[in-house]
Amino acid sequence: MKFWLRSMGRRKQGYKAPEGLVRIKKSNCWYIKRTVLGKEVYKSTGTDDLIEAEEIYHLVMTELLKEAKTYAVNRILGRSVPFRFVVERYLQEMSPSKCRHGRNDKNSSKPLISFFGDSKIDGITKQDVYKYMDWRKNTVSEKTDRVVSGLTVNRERSFLSKMFKAAIRWGYVDESPVMGIEGFSENKRERYITDDEFEAVLKNLQEDHKEVFLALYHTAQRPGRIYDLQWTQINLEERAITFENTSHNKRVPNILWINDALYEVLTRRKRNRRTLSPYVFYKPSLKPYSEFDALKIWNKACEGAKVEDATPRDLRHKAITDMKKAGHGDAAVGHVVAHSDPRTTKRYTHFSVEETRQPLEALAIKGFSIKVAEK
C-alpha cells in the first residue's frame, strides 16, 4: 500500500526525514545520528530506501529509549549503576578537585576506571579487586616509565574503599568488596642526606628551584605544605608562617617560626615578585609545583650532583635529624614537624611560635642558604 510513496528511496516531494536520520557523502544509505543516555549513536541503517530506514530508525530508538528509562530507574533506585558513574559522582560530590587530596583522588581513579569501566557497581567482588591489584602492580607508569609501586597501588585501593563507602550510603551496594583486603607491604625509607650531598644538589638547581628545596629543609614540613604555600600565610614582620589543618589524619603546627635562612629566601622572593600569583613558589604557568614536578626537578639535580636514592621528602628527615643533633628534645622537634602519632603529639598541644624558634634557628646555623648555593 506504500508503493505510491516510494520513488528512488525518497518520500513524496516536500517530505522531510525525521530528526536523527541523515544522509552522508560517499554513501547511499541513511544513517541514524542521535544522542541517547549521553552517548552519540551514529550507525548506518543499511538501506537507501527512506521508508525502510525510517522503520529501522523507530525500532532502534524504541529499544534505546527503553534502555535509557531502565538506566534512569536503576540510577534512582541504586541498582546496577556503572562503576564509572559512581566514581564521577564521588569526585564531584565528595572530593573537590581544588584541594590536593581531590587531585590525588582523581589521579587514583584513572587506572580504576580503565580496569572496571562500565562494569556494574553491585557486580564487583573481592576477587575482582584482587585481580585489579595484581594487574596494576605489574603495569608500567607512563610518567616514570617504571613498574607501579606497591605504595601507589595501596593509595588506589584506599580511594576504592572510600568510594564504596559512599556507594553504600547512596544505596548502590550493600557492602564493600574492598573490606578485609590488605595492601602491599611498604618499605620505610631511612635515607639521611649528608651535608655534602645537599650542598651538591643545591649547586645543580636553578635559582627558583633552590629556594623551594631550601624552604622544605628550613621548615621541616611535609613537601605538599610548602608547594602550596601562599603569601597570605606569611607574616614577615612577626617572622611567622600559619597553617590551616586541612588533613583528616595528619597534624600541622598552627604557626611556625621563620628562621634567618628562610627569612632571606622569602624576603628575596617578595622583593622580586612580579605576578599576581598567590603562591610563594610557582611554575611559569603561575600554578604551584606538584609533587611530580618537584620530584622531576630534584632527580635531575641529583643526577648532576651524582647523589643517588634521594627524594625531596628526605629533606624533612634530614631537618629532624639535624635539629635533634643540635640538642633539641623530642617535644620541641615533634611540634615543629607535627608528629602524627597521637601518643606523641599530646605533648605538643600548647606550643607558641616562639617555642619553634630555637630548633628552626639551628637549621639556619648549618649554613645552607642562597649564598652557599651560588658558590
Side-chain angles (χ1 to χ4, degrees):
M1 297 292 293
K2 297 181 180 179
F3 70 93
W4 61 276
L5 289 173
R6 296 192 185 186
S7 176
M8 298 297 290
R10 299 177 182 276
R11 292 277 192 178
K12 63 181 180 179
Q13 188 175 5
Y15 178 80
K16 293 183 179 180
E19 183 181 357
L21 202 59
V22 299
R23 295 291 291 268
I24 64 172
K25 294 181 180 179
K26 299 182 181 180
S27 176
N28 294 324
C29 296
W30 287 91
Y31 275 72
I32 299 172
K33 187 175 182 181
R34 287 295 296 269
T35 300
V36 180
L37 202 60
K39 294 183 179 179
E40 186 178 59
V41 179
Y42 188 49
K43 296 289 183 181
S44 171
T45 61
T47 179
D48 63 351
D49 189 289
L50 180 56
I51 296 175
E52 291 181 6
E54 188 175 345
E55 290 174 352
I56 294 171
Y57 168 79
H58 286 304
L59 289 172
V60 170
M61 290 305 299
T62 299
E63 292 300 317
L64 288 174
L65 289 172
K66 284 182 181 178
E67 183 180 338
K69 288 179 180 178
T70 302
Y71 177 88
V73 170
N74 286 340
R75 187 175 66 179
I76 293 170
L77 298 180
R79 295 196 299 262
S80 300
V81 178
F83 176 85
R84 186 191 307 274
F85 171 81
V86 182
V87 171
E88 290 173 354
R89 180 176 177 182
Y90 178 86
L91 293 176
Q92 183 178 1
E93 297 183 17
M94 310 291 286
S95 185
S97 59
K98 292 182 179 180
C99 57
R100 180 169 292 275
H101 81 267
R103 295 193 293 270
N104 291 340
D105 283 348
K106 187 174 182 179
N107 291 331
S108 295
S109 71
K110 291 178 181 178
L112 287 164
I113 292 176
S114 176
F115 185 85
F116 291 108
D118 292 323
S119 301
K120 303 303 182 184
I121 190 72
D122 54 0
I124 297 175
T125 64
K126 286 185 180 292
Q127 287 69 31
D128 294 327
V129 178
Y130 277 119
K131 287 178 182 177
Y132 169 78
M133 293 178 69
D134 292 337
W135 165 78
R136 182 64 171 149
K137 189 69 170 64
N138 293 315
T139 58
V140 176
S141 171
E142 295 180 359
K143 287 186 176 180
T144 62
D145 200 28
R146 292 183 294 183
V147 175
V148 174
S149 66
L151 177 65
T152 299
V153 180
N154 290 346
R155 298 297 174 269
E156 292 164 3
R157 171 195 159 279
S158 176
F159 168 78
L160 190 63
S161 177
K162 292 187 295 183
M163 191 209 69
F164 267 102
K165 287 180 181 179
I168 293 172
R169 180 188 302 177
W170 294 328
Y172 297 140
V173 293
D174 296 325
E175 60 182 13
S176 171
V178 188
M179 187 177 296
I181 295 180
E182 296 182 357
F184 294 106
S185 61
E186 301 178 10
N187 296 325
K188 294 183 178 180
R189 289 179 58 84
E190 295 184 357
R191 177 72 159 91
Y192 172 77
I193 300 177
T194 65
D195 293 353
D196 291 339
E197 286 177 329
F198 189 26
E199 187 172 341
V201 172
L202 288 174
K203 289 180 179 178
N204 280 272
L205 288 167
Q206 296 178 12
E207 199 62 44
D208 284 352
H209 300 158
K210 288 176 188 176
E211 295 173 346
V212 176
F213 296 110
L214 283 170
L216 281 182
Y217 174 74
H218 286 292
T219 57
Q221 296 302 299
R222 296 179 179 90
R225 300 283 177 186
I226 303 306
Y227 301 151
D228 288 339
L229 190 64
Q230 299 189 26
W231 285 111
T232 53
Q233 298 173 248
I234 296 172
N235 187 329
L236 291 176
E237 292 183 2
E238 296 184 6
R239 298 186 67 155
I241 302 176
T242 56
F243 292 97
E244 181 181 356
N245 194 351
T246 57
S247 176
H248 296 293
N249 57 359
K250 293 179 180 178
R251 290 183 65 238
V252 293
N254 294 329
I255 193 164
L256 206 64
W257 175 258
I258 299 175
N259 67 21
D260 290 343
L262 182 59
Y263 183 81
E264 182 182 1
V265 169
L266 295 176
T267 51
R268 177 172 174 169
R269 289 197 70 84
K270 191 155 190 176
R271 184 171 60 249
N272 298 332
R273 190 181 180 192
R274 296 292 184 271
T275 69
L276 297 177
S277 175
Y279 298 100
V280 178
F281 307 105
Y282 52 85
K283 299 182 291 185
S285 63
L286 304 185
K287 294 182 179 180
Y289 291 95
S290 67
E291 294 203 23
F292 177 74
D293 295 329
L295 181 61
K296 188 175 180 180
I297 294 167
W298 175 266
N299 286 342
K300 186 176 180 180
C302 285
E303 186 178 348
K306 297 181 179 180
V307 175
E308 298 179 352
D309 190 33
T311 69
R313 190 172 290 272
D314 293 332
L315 291 177
R316 174 175 163 88
H317 299 172
K318 176 176 175 56
I320 293 171
T321 304
D322 289 348
M323 284 189 283
K324 286 187 175 181
K325 284 182 178 179
H328 299 285
D330 288 338
V333 175
H335 172 66
V336 169
V337 301
H339 206 287
S340 60
D341 189 335
R343 293 170 298 180
T344 306
T345 53
K346 286 181 181 179
R347 302 195 300 267
Y348 316 142
T349 54
H350 303 290
F351 283 88
S352 65
V353 62
E354 284 297 326
E355 288 167 306
T356 69
R357 177 177 181 172
Q358 289 188 351
L360 287 173
E361 284 296 352
L363 301 182
I365 295 173
K366 295 289 292 185
F368 296 113
S369 64
I370 297 172
K371 294 178 181 178
V372 171
E374 289 175 343
K375 290 182 179 179

